[in-house]
Amino acid sequence: PFTLIEARFGAGLTWADVTPTVRGLIRDPAKPFTFDGRTLEPDLWPGVPKWLAVWFDDHGRRYVRLFREGECRLLP
């Protein structure tokens, strides 16, 4: 089974915990989801490119995926 462990959004040394928000975006880890940085953490370093890091467990194996804004998919 799929388990979302943690999701963080940020850049450099500043990262915000956005796990509850990302958990709400993912209905099926094999289907795409989209996110907009302004909805995840609007006040975090305006104008600086940011990343979304998602840690999850799928059938006993741990993964991390890094994304920029737009459409994302955790599992192939």
Side-chain angles (χ1 to χ4, degrees):
F2 173 86
T3 305
L4 178 67
I5 298 168
E6 185 176 8
R8 297 226 172 228
F9 181 70
L13 298 176
T14 306
W15 292 79
D17 183 0
V18 293
T19 306
T21 305
V22 172
R23 187 172 279 129
L25 296 174
I26 299 171
R27 303 284 181 234
D28 177 344
K31 293 188 178 174
F33 68 95
T34 59
F35 77 93
D36 179 340
R38 293 174 298 221
T39 60
L40 291 180
E41 188 63 39
D43 298 328
L44 185 67
W45 289 19
V48 175
K50 296 166 207 65
W51 293 86
L52 172 65
V54 181
W55 289 266
F56 63 96
D57 185 292
D58 184 48
H59 294 90
R61 296 192 62 169
R62 291 207 169 181
Y63 300 90
V64 62
R65 300 279 191 263
L66 294 172
F67 303 104
R68 297 293 300 261
E69 287 183 323
E71 189 173 275
C72 313
R73 183 187 312 252
L74 293 176
L75 296 175

